[in-house]
Structures are given as structure tokens and as C-alpha cells.
Coordinates of all heavy atoms in Angstrom, one line a residue:
M1 N -63.7 -48.4 39.9 CA -64.2 -48.1 38.5 C -65.6 -47.6 38.6 O -66.5 -48.1 39.2 CB -64.1 -49.4 37.7 CG -63.3 -49.2 36.4 SD -63.5 -50.5 35.3 CE -63.0 -52.0 36.3
P2 N -65.8 -46.5 37.9 CA -67.2 -45.9 37.9 C -68.2 -46.8 37.1 O -67.8 -47.4 36.1 CB -67.0 -44.5 37.2 CG -65.8 -44.6 36.5 CD -64.9 -45.7 37.1
T3 N -69.4 -46.8 37.5 CA -70.4 -47.5 36.7 C -71.2 -46.5 35.9 O -71.7 -45.5 36.4 CB -71.4 -48.2 37.7 OG1 -70.6 -49.1 38.5 CG2 -72.4 -49.1 37.0
Y4 N -71.4 -46.8 34.7 CA -72.2 -45.9 33.8 C -73.5 -46.6 33.5 O -73.6 -47.8 33.3 CB -71.4 -45.6 32.5 CG -70.2 -44.8 32.8 CD1 -68.9 -45.4 32.7 CD2 -70.3 -43.5 33.1 CE1 -67.8 -44.7 32.9 CE2 -69.1 -42.8 33.4 CZ -67.9 -43.4 33.3 OH -66.8 -42.6 33.5
H5 N -74.5 -45.8 33.4 CA -75.9 -46.2 33.1 C -76.2 -45.8 31.7 O -76.1 -44.6 31.4 CB -76.8 -45.6 34.1 CG -78.2 -46.1 34.1 ND1 -79.1 -45.9 35.1 CD2 -78.9 -46.8 33.1 CE1 -80.2 -46.5 34.8 NE2 -80.2 -47.0 33.6
Y6 N -76.6 -46.8 30.9 CA -77.0 -46.4 29.5 C -78.4 -46.8 29.2 O -79.0 -47.7 29.8 CB -76.1 -47.2 28.5 CG -74.7 -46.8 28.5 CD1 -73.7 -47.3 29.3 CD2 -74.3 -45.8 27.6 CE1 -72.4 -46.9 29.2 CE2 -73.0 -45.4 27.5 CZ -72.0 -45.9 28.3 OH -70.7 -45.5 28.3
K7 N -79.0 -46.1 28.2 CA -80.3 -46.5 27.8 C -80.3 -46.5 26.3 O -79.7 -45.7 25.6 CB -81.3 -45.5 28.3 CG -82.7 -45.9 28.0 CD -83.7 -45.1 28.8 CE -85.1 -45.6 28.6 NZ -86.2 -44.9 29.3
C8 N -81.1 -47.5 25.7 CA -81.1 -47.6 24.3 C -82.2 -46.7 23.7 O -83.4 -46.7 24.2 CB -81.4 -49.1 23.9 SG -81.7 -49.3 22.2
E9 N -81.9 -46.0 22.7 CA -82.9 -45.1 22.0 C -84.0 -45.9 21.3 O -85.1 -45.5 21.2 CB -82.2 -44.2 21.0 CG -81.6 -43.0 21.5 CD -81.0 -42.1 20.4 OE1 -81.1 -42.5 19.3 OE2 -80.4 -41.1 20.8
K10 N -83.6 -47.1 20.9 CA -84.5 -47.8 20.0 C -85.5 -48.7 20.8 O -86.7 -48.6 20.6 CB -83.6 -48.7 19.1 CG -84.2 -48.9 17.7 CD -83.2 -49.7 16.9 CE -83.8 -50.3 15.7 NZ -82.9 -51.2 15.0
C11 N -85.0 -49.5 21.7 CA -85.8 -50.5 22.4 C -86.0 -50.1 23.8 O -86.8 -50.7 24.5 CB -85.3 -51.9 22.3 SG -83.9 -52.2 23.3
G12 N -85.3 -49.1 24.3 CA -85.5 -48.6 25.7 C -84.8 -49.5 26.7 O -85.0 -49.3 27.9
Y13 N -84.0 -50.4 26.3 CA -83.3 -51.3 27.2 C -82.3 -50.5 28.0 O -81.5 -49.7 27.4 CB -82.6 -52.4 26.4 CG -81.8 -53.3 27.2 CD1 -82.4 -54.1 28.2 CD2 -80.4 -53.5 27.0 CE1 -81.6 -55.0 29.0 CE2 -79.6 -54.3 27.8 CZ -80.3 -55.1 28.7 OH -79.5 -56.0 29.5
E14 N -82.3 -50.7 29.3 CA -81.3 -50.0 30.2 C -80.3 -50.9 30.8 O -80.7 -52.0 31.2 CB -82.1 -49.3 31.3 CG -82.9 -48.1 30.8 CD -83.6 -47.4 32.0 OE1 -82.9 -47.0 33.0 OE2 -84.8 -47.3 32.0
F15 N -79.1 -50.5 30.8 CA -78.1 -51.4 31.4 C -77.0 -50.5 32.0 O -76.8 -49.4 31.7 CB -77.5 -52.3 30.4 CG -76.8 -51.7 29.2 CD1 -75.5 -51.6 29.1 CD2 -77.6 -51.2 28.2 CE1 -74.9 -51.0 28.0 CE2 -77.0 -50.6 27.1 CZ -75.6 -50.5 27.0
E16 N -76.3 -51.2 33.0 CA -75.2 -50.5 33.6 C -73.9 -51.2 33.3 O -73.9 -52.4 33.2 CB -75.4 -50.5 35.1 CG -76.4 -49.4 35.5 CD -76.6 -49.4 37.0 OE1 -76.2 -50.3 37.7 OE2 -77.2 -48.4 37.4
I17 N -72.8 -50.5 33.2 CA -71.6 -51.1 32.8 C -70.4 -50.4 33.6 O -70.4 -49.2 33.7 CB -71.4 -51.1 31.3 CG1 -70.2 -52.0 30.9 CG2 -71.2 -49.7 30.8 CD1 -70.2 -52.4 29.5
E18 N -69.5 -51.2 34.0 CA -68.3 -50.6 34.7 C -67.3 -50.3 33.6 O -66.9 -51.2 32.9 CB -67.7 -51.6 35.7 CG -68.5 -51.5 37.0 CD -67.8 -52.3 38.1 OE1 -66.7 -52.8 37.9 OE2 -68.4 -52.4 39.2
Q19 N -66.8 -49.1 33.6 CA -65.8 -48.7 32.7 C -64.7 -47.8 33.3 O -65.0 -47.1 34.2 CB -66.4 -47.9 31.5 CG -67.3 -48.7 30.6 CD -67.7 -47.8 29.4 OE1 -68.3 -46.8 29.6 NE2 -67.5 -48.3 28.2
K20 N -63.5 -47.9 32.8 CA -62.5 -47.0 33.2 C -62.9 -45.6 32.6 O -63.5 -45.6 31.5 CB -61.2 -47.4 32.6 CG -60.5 -48.5 33.4 CD -59.2 -48.9 32.8 CE -59.0 -50.4 32.7 NZ -58.1 -50.8 31.7
I21 N -62.5 -44.6 33.2 CA -62.8 -43.2 32.7 C -62.2 -43.1 31.3 O -62.7 -42.4 30.5 CB -62.2 -42.2 33.7 CG1 -63.1 -42.2 35.0 CG2 -62.3 -40.8 33.1 CD1 -62.5 -41.4 36.1
S22 N -61.1 -43.7 31.1 CA -60.3 -43.6 29.8 C -61.0 -44.4 28.7 O -60.7 -44.3 27.6 CB -58.9 -44.0 30.0 OG -58.8 -45.3 30.6
D23 N -61.9 -45.4 29.1 CA -62.5 -46.2 28.1 C -63.5 -45.4 27.2 O -64.1 -44.4 27.7 CB -63.3 -47.3 28.7 CG -62.4 -48.5 29.1 OD1 -61.2 -48.4 28.8 OD2 -62.9 -49.4 29.7
A24 N -63.6 -45.8 26.0 CA -64.6 -45.1 25.1 C -66.0 -45.5 25.5 O -66.2 -46.6 26.0 CB -64.4 -45.6 23.7
P25 N -66.9 -44.5 25.4 CA -68.3 -44.9 25.8 C -69.0 -45.9 24.9 O -68.6 -46.0 23.8 CB -69.0 -43.5 25.8 CG -68.2 -42.7 24.9 CD -66.8 -43.2 25.0
R26 N -69.9 -46.6 25.5 CA -70.7 -47.6 24.7 C -71.6 -46.9 23.7 O -72.1 -45.8 24.0 CB -71.6 -48.4 25.6 CG -70.8 -49.5 26.3 CD -70.4 -50.5 25.3 NE -69.5 -51.5 26.0 CZ -69.9 -52.8 26.2 NH1 -71.1 -53.2 25.9 NH2 -69.1 -53.6 26.8
K27 N -71.7 -47.4 22.5 CA -72.5 -46.8 21.5 C -73.7 -47.7 21.1 O -74.7 -47.2 20.5 CB -71.7 -46.4 20.3 CG -70.8 -45.2 20.6 CD -70.1 -44.7 19.4 CE -69.3 -43.5 19.7 NZ -67.9 -43.6 19.2
R28 N -73.6 -49.0 21.3 CA -74.6 -49.9 20.8 C -75.3 -50.7 21.9 O -74.7 -51.1 22.8 CB -73.9 -50.9 19.8 CG -73.4 -50.2 18.6 CD -74.4 -49.8 17.6 NE -73.9 -48.8 16.7 CZ -74.7 -48.0 15.9 NH1 -76.0 -48.1 16.0 NH2 -74.1 -47.2 15.1
C29 N -76.6 -50.9 21.7 CA -77.4 -51.7 22.6 C -77.0 -53.1 22.4 O -76.9 -53.6 21.3 CB -78.8 -51.5 22.3 SG -80.0 -52.6 23.1
P30 N -76.8 -53.9 23.5 CA -76.4 -55.3 23.4 C -77.6 -56.1 23.0 O -77.4 -57.3 22.6 CB -76.0 -55.7 24.9 CG -76.6 -54.6 25.7 CD -76.8 -53.4 24.9
K31 N -78.8 -55.6 23.0 CA -80.0 -56.4 22.6 C -80.3 -56.2 21.1 O -80.5 -57.1 20.4 CB -81.2 -56.0 23.4 CG -81.2 -56.6 24.8 CD -82.6 -56.5 25.4 CE -82.8 -57.5 26.5 NZ -84.1 -57.4 27.1
C32 N -80.4 -54.9 20.7 CA -80.9 -54.7 19.4 C -79.9 -53.9 18.5 O -80.1 -53.6 17.4 CB -82.2 -53.9 19.4 SG -81.9 -52.1 19.9
R33 N -78.7 -53.7 19.1 CA -77.6 -52.9 18.4 C -78.0 -51.5 18.0 O -77.4 -50.9 17.2 CB -77.2 -53.7 17.1 CG -77.0 -55.2 17.2 CD -76.0 -55.5 18.2 NE -74.6 -55.1 17.8 CZ -73.6 -55.1 18.7 NH1 -73.7 -55.4 19.9 NH2 -72.4 -54.7 18.2
G34 N -79.1 -51.0 18.7 CA -79.5 -49.6 18.4 C -78.6 -48.7 19.2 O -77.7 -49.1 19.9
K35 N -78.8 -47.4 18.9 CA -77.9 -46.4 19.5 C -78.3 -46.2 21.0 O -79.5 -46.2 21.4 CB -78.2 -45.1 18.8 CG -76.9 -44.2 18.6 CD -77.2 -43.2 17.6 CE -76.8 -41.8 18.1 NZ -77.3 -40.7 17.3
V36 N -77.3 -46.1 21.9 CA -77.6 -45.9 23.3 C -77.0 -44.5 23.7 O -76.1 -44.0 23.1 CB -76.9 -47.0 24.2 CG1 -77.5 -48.3 23.9 CG2 -75.4 -47.0 24.0
F37 N -77.6 -44.0 24.8 CA -77.1 -42.7 25.3 C -76.8 -42.9 26.8 O -77.5 -43.8 27.4 CB -78.0 -41.6 25.1 CG -79.4 -41.7 25.6 CD1 -79.7 -41.3 26.9 CD2 -80.4 -42.4 24.8 CE1 -81.0 -41.4 27.3 CE2 -81.7 -42.5 25.3 CZ -82.0 -42.1 26.6
R38 N -76.0 -42.2 27.4 CA -75.7 -42.3 28.8 C -76.7 -41.6 29.6 O -77.0 -40.4 29.4 CB -74.3 -41.8 29.1 CG -73.5 -42.7 30.1 CD -72.1 -42.5 30.0 NE -71.7 -41.4 30.9 CZ -70.5 -40.8 30.9 NH1 -69.6 -41.2 30.1 NH2 -70.3 -39.9 31.7
V39 N -77.1 -42.2 30.7 CA -78.1 -41.6 31.6 C -77.3 -41.0 32.8 O -76.6 -41.7 33.4 CB -79.1 -42.7 32.1 CG1 -80.1 -42.0 33.1 CG2 -79.8 -43.3 31.0
I40 N -77.5 -39.7 33.0 CA -76.9 -39.1 34.1 C -78.0 -39.0 35.2 O -79.0 -38.4 35.0 CB -76.4 -37.7 33.8 CG1 -75.6 -37.7 32.5 CG2 -75.7 -37.0 34.9 CD1 -74.3 -38.4 32.6
H41 N -77.7 -39.6 36.3 CA -78.6 -39.6 37.4 C -78.8 -38.2 38.1 O -77.8 -37.6 38.4 CB -78.2 -40.6 38.5 CG -78.3 -42.0 38.0 ND1 -79.5 -42.6 37.7 CD2 -77.3 -42.9 37.6 CE1 -79.2 -43.8 37.2 NE2 -77.9 -44.0 37.2
P42 N -80.0 -37.8 38.2 CA -80.2 -36.4 38.8 C -80.1 -36.4 40.3 O -81.0 -36.1 41.0 CB -81.7 -36.1 38.3 CG -82.3 -37.5 38.3 CD -81.2 -38.5 37.9
V43 N -78.9 -36.6 40.8 CA -78.6 -36.5 42.2 C -77.7 -35.3 42.4 O -76.6 -35.3 41.9 CB -78.0 -37.8 42.7 CG1 -77.7 -37.7 44.2 CG2 -78.9 -39.0 42.4
G44 N -78.1 -34.4 43.3 CA -77.5 -33.1 43.4 C -76.0 -33.3 43.8 O -75.1 -32.6 43.3
H45 N -75.7 -34.1 44.8 CA -74.4 -34.1 45.4 C -73.4 -34.9 44.5 O -72.2 -35.0 44.8 CB -74.4 -34.7 46.8 CG -74.8 -36.1 46.9 ND1 -76.0 -36.6 47.2 CD2 -74.1 -37.3 46.6 CE1 -76.1 -37.9 47.1 NE2 -74.9 -38.3 46.8
I46 N -73.9 -35.5 43.5 CA -73.1 -36.5 42.8 C -71.9 -35.8 42.0 O -70.9 -36.4 41.8 CB -74.0 -37.3 41.8 CG1 -73.4 -38.7 41.5 CG2 -74.2 -36.5 40.5 CD1 -74.4 -39.6 41.0
L47 N -72.1 -34.5 41.8 CA -71.0 -33.9 41.0 C -69.9 -33.3 42.0 O -68.9 -32.8 41.5 CB -71.6 -32.7 40.2 CG -72.4 -33.2 39.0 CD1 -73.1 -32.0 38.3 CD2 -71.6 -33.9 38.0
K48 N -70.2 -33.4 43.3 CA -69.2 -32.8 44.2 C -68.1 -33.8 44.5 O -68.4 -34.9 45.0 CB -69.9 -32.3 45.5 CG -70.7 -31.0 45.3 CD -71.4 -30.7 46.5 CE -72.5 -29.6 46.2 NZ -73.5 -29.6 47.2
G49 N -66.9 -33.4 44.4 CA -65.8 -34.2 44.8 C -65.7 -35.6 44.2 O -66.2 -35.7 43.0
S50 N -65.3 -36.6 44.9 CA -65.1 -37.9 44.4 C -66.4 -38.6 44.3 O -66.5 -39.8 43.9 CB -64.1 -38.7 45.2 OG -64.5 -38.7 46.5
G51 N -67.5 -38.1 44.9 CA -68.8 -38.7 45.0 C -69.4 -38.8 43.6 O -70.6 -39.2 43.5
F52 N -68.7 -38.5 42.6 CA -69.3 -38.6 41.2 C -69.7 -40.0 40.9 O -70.6 -40.2 40.1 CB -68.3 -38.1 40.2 CG -68.8 -38.1 38.8 CD1 -69.7 -37.2 38.4 CD2 -68.2 -39.0 37.9 CE1 -70.2 -37.3 37.1 CE2 -68.7 -39.1 36.6 CZ -69.7 -38.2 36.2
Y53 N -69.0 -41.0 41.5 CA -69.3 -42.4 41.1 C -70.7 -42.8 41.5 O -71.3 -42.3 42.5 CB -68.3 -43.3 41.8 CG -66.9 -43.0 41.4 CD1 -65.8 -43.5 42.1 CD2 -66.6 -42.3 40.2 CE1 -64.5 -43.3 41.7 CE2 -65.3 -42.1 39.8 CZ -64.3 -42.6 40.5 OH -63.0 -42.4 40.1
A54 N -71.2 -43.7 40.7 CA -72.6 -44.1 40.9 C -72.9 -44.9 42.1 O -74.0 -45.1 42.5 CB -73.0 -44.9 39.7
T55 N -71.8 -45.2 42.9 CA -72.1 -46.0 44.1 C -72.9 -45.2 45.1 O -73.7 -45.8 45.9 CB -70.7 -46.4 44.7 OG1 -69.9 -45.3 44.7 CG2 -70.1 -47.6 44.0
D56 N -72.7 -43.9 45.1 CA -73.5 -43.1 46.1 C -75.0 -43.2 45.7 O -75.8 -43.4 46.6 CB -73.1 -41.6 46.0 CG -71.8 -41.4 46.7 OD1 -71.3 -42.3 47.3 OD2 -71.3 -40.3 46.6
Y57 N -75.3 -43.1 44.5 CA -76.7 -43.2 44.0 C -77.2 -44.6 44.4 O -78.3 -44.7 44.9 CB -76.7 -43.0 42.5 CG -77.9 -43.6 41.9 CD1 -79.2 -43.0 42.0 CD2 -77.9 -44.9 41.2 CE1 -80.3 -43.5 41.5 CE2 -79.0 -45.4 40.7 CZ -80.2 -44.8 40.8 OH -81.3 -45.3 40.2
R58 N -76.4 -45.6 44.3 CA -76.9 -47.0 44.5 C -77.2 -47.2 46.0 O -78.1 -47.8 46.4 CB -75.9 -48.0 44.1 CG -75.8 -48.1 42.6 CD -74.9 -49.2 42.2 NE -75.2 -49.7 40.9 CZ -74.5 -50.7 40.4 NH1 -73.5 -51.3 41.0 NH2 -74.9 -51.2 39.2
K59 N -76.4 -46.6 46.8 CA -76.6 -46.7 48.3 C -78.0 -46.1 48.6 O -78.7 -46.8 49.4 CB -75.5 -46.0 49.0 CG -74.4 -46.9 49.6 CD -73.5 -46.1 50.4 CE -72.1 -46.2 49.8 NZ -71.2 -45.1 50.3
E60 N -78.2 -45.0 48.1 CA -79.5 -44.3 48.4 C -80.7 -45.2 47.9 O -81.7 -45.4 48.6 CB -79.6 -42.9 47.7 CG -78.7 -41.9 48.5 CD -79.1 -41.7 49.9 OE1 -80.3 -41.6 50.2 OE2 -78.2 -41.8 50.8
D61 N -80.5 -45.7 46.7 CA -81.5 -46.5 46.1 C -81.8 -47.7 47.0 O -82.9 -48.1 47.2 CB -81.0 -46.9 44.7 CG -82.2 -47.5 43.9 OD1 -83.2 -46.8 43.9 OD2 -82.0 -48.5 43.3
Y62 N -80.7 -48.3 47.5 CA -80.8 -49.5 48.3 C -81.6 -49.2 49.6 O -82.5 -49.9 50.0 CB -79.4 -50.0 48.6 CG -79.4 -51.2 49.5 CD1 -79.8 -52.5 49.0 CD2 -79.0 -51.1 50.8 CE1 -79.7 -53.6 49.8 CE2 -79.0 -52.3 51.6 CZ -79.3 -53.5 51.1 OH -79.3 -54.6 51.9
K63 N -81.3 -48.1 50.2 CA -82.0 -47.7 51.4 C -83.4 -47.5 51.2 O -84.3 -48.0 51.9 CB -81.4 -46.4 51.9 CG -80.2 -46.5 52.9 CD -79.9 -45.2 53.5 CE -78.4 -44.9 53.3 NZ -78.1 -43.5 53.4
K64 N -83.7 -46.9 50.1 CA -85.2 -46.6 49.7 C -85.9 -48.0 49.5 O -87.0 -48.2 50.0 CB -85.2 -45.8 48.4 CG -85.5 -44.4 48.7 CD -85.6 -43.7 47.3 CE -84.7 -42.5 47.3 NZ -84.5 -42.0 45.9
K65 N -85.2 -48.9 48.9 CA -85.8 -50.2 48.6 C -86.1 -50.9 50.0 O -87.2 -51.5 50.2 CB -84.9 -51.1 47.8 CG -85.3 -51.1 46.3 CD -84.4 -52.0 45.6 CE -84.4 -51.6 44.1 NZ -83.2 -52.0 43.4
K66 N -85.1 -50.8 50.9 CA -85.3 -51.5 52.2 C -86.5 -50.9 52.9 O -87.3 -51.6 53.5 CB -84.0 -51.2 53.0 CG -83.0 -52.2 52.8 CD -83.2 -53.5 53.7 CE -82.2 -54.6 53.3 NZ -82.7 -55.9 53.8
A67 N -86.6 -49.6 52.9 CA -87.7 -48.9 53.5 C -89.0 -49.4 52.9 O -90.0 -49.6 53.7 CB -87.6 -47.4 53.4
T68 N -89.1 -49.5 51.6 CA -90.3 -49.9 51.0 C -90.7 -51.4 51.4 O -91.8 -51.7 51.7 CB -90.1 -49.9 49.4 OG1 -89.5 -48.7 49.1 CG2 -91.5 -50.0 48.8
E69 N -89.7 -52.2 51.5 CA -89.9 -53.6 51.9 C -90.5 -53.6 53.3 O -91.4 -54.4 53.5 CB -88.6 -54.4 51.9 CG -88.2 -54.9 50.5 CD -86.8 -55.4 50.5 OE1 -86.2 -55.7 51.5 OE2 -86.3 -55.4 49.4
K70 N -90.0 -52.8 54.2 CA -90.5 -52.8 55.6 C -92.0 -52.4 55.5 O -92.8 -53.0 56.2 CB -89.8 -51.8 56.4 CG -88.6 -52.4 57.2 CD -88.0 -51.3 58.0 CE -86.5 -51.7 58.4 NZ -85.8 -50.6 58.9
D71 N -92.3 -51.4 54.8 CA -93.7 -51.0 54.6 C -94.6 -52.1 54.1 O -95.7 -52.3 54.6 CB -93.8 -49.7 53.7 CG -93.3 -48.5 54.4 OD1 -93.0 -48.6 55.6 OD2 -93.1 -47.5 53.7
D72 N -94.1 -52.8 53.2 CA -94.8 -53.9 52.6 C -95.1 -54.9 53.7 O -96.3 -55.4 53.8 CB -94.0 -54.6 51.5 CG -94.1 -53.7 50.2 OD1 -94.9 -52.7 50.2 OD2 -93.4 -54.1 49.2
N73 N -94.1 -55.3 54.5 CA -94.3 -56.3 55.5 C -95.4 -55.8 56.5 O -96.2 -56.6 56.9 CB -93.0 -56.5 56.2 CG -92.1 -57.3 55.4 OD1 -92.5 -58.0 54.4 ND2 -90.8 -57.3 55.6
K74 N -95.4 -54.6 56.8 CA -96.4 -54.0 57.8 C -97.8 -54.3 57.2 O -98.7 -54.7 57.9 CB -96.1 -52.6 58.0 CG -95.3 -52.2 59.3 CD -95.3 -50.7 59.5 CE -94.0 -50.3 60.0 NZ -93.7 -48.9 59.8
G75 N -97.9 -53.9 55.9 CA -99.2 -54.0 55.3 C -99.7 -55.5 55.3 O -100.9 -55.7 55.5
K76 N -98.8 -56.4 55.2 CA -99.3 -57.8 55.2 C -99.8 -58.3 56.5 O -100.7 -59.1 56.6 CB -98.1 -58.7 54.7 CG -98.0 -58.8 53.2 CD -96.8 -59.5 52.8 CE -96.5 -59.3 51.3 NZ -95.1 -59.6 51.0
K77 N -99.2 -57.8 57.6 CA -99.6 -58.1 59.0 C -100.9 -57.4 59.3 O -101.9 -57.8 59.4 CB -98.5 -57.7 60.0 CG -97.5 -58.8 60.1 CD -96.5 -58.4 61.2 CE -95.4 -59.4 61.3 NZ -94.4 -59.0 62.2
Ligands
LIG1 ZN1 -81.9 -51.7 22.1

């Protein structure tokens, strides 16, 4: 199931939700009931083939985080 990323226009709250492609998009913020819009991640390869799913983005993000953590540890030593 693809994961969609939403952001609230009103309070700026961001959340991710797993939805079937056939499901209707979310329209309301769970916090303030304001209007939300879907955030499309600006990743070039994401539109190619089945890689459309947000998991690709997350993997990259995870790698980046790991790298940052390593740098942090170095700094502490
Ligand atoms: Zn909100």
C-alpha cells in the first residue's frame, strides 16, 4: 500500500497515511480539522515504474539519517 504525505494548510501539521490507490484522499487535518493537501516528494526517480511508492524516498531518508548520526558520533569523540 502506498504511503501518502499530507500537510495541513491551517496549522502546518504533517502526517503520513497508508491508503489504497482507490481510497479517497484525506481532506481534513486530524488535529484542527483544517484543509490538508498532499505533499509530493521531489524525488526524480519516484515517477518511474513501480518506484512511485514512498518507500524509496524513505530508504534514502533513512540512509541520510544514518550518515548524519555517524558524523555526530565523530564530533563527540
Ligand atoms: Zn491542522
Side-chain angles (χ1 to χ4, degrees):
M1 233 190 306
T3 305
Y4 295 107
H5 187 162
Y6 287 91
K7 188 167 182 179
C8 173
E9 274 183 3
K10 213 172 161 188
C11 72
Y13 178 62
E14 288 181 56
F15 60 100
E16 284 181 343
I17 192 163
E18 278 190 6
Q19 285 187 310
K20 283 180 220 157
I21 292 168
S22 54
D23 279 356
R26 281 292 173 109
K27 287 190 177 129
R28 295 286 163 196
C29 170
K31 278 196 165 181
C32 72
R33 314 302 293 167
K35 219 166 128 189
V36 297
F37 57 93
R38 220 160 87 189
V39 179
I40 309 294
H41 293 290
V43 180
H45 66 262
I46 210 161
L47 290 173
K48 283 178 198 160
S50 57
F52 180 72
Y53 296 164
T55 43
D56 283 354
Y57 158 76
R58 286 185 155 183
K59 258 186 242 160
E60 285 304 311
D61 194 47
Y62 179 71
K63 269 188 232 160
K64 260 184 232 159
K65 260 183 204 156
K66 273 274 172 197
T68 313
E69 274 166 25
K70 267 184 202 165
D71 287 349
D72 282 355
N73 287 341
K74 263 187 218 162
K76 273 171 198 164
K77 270 184 187 175

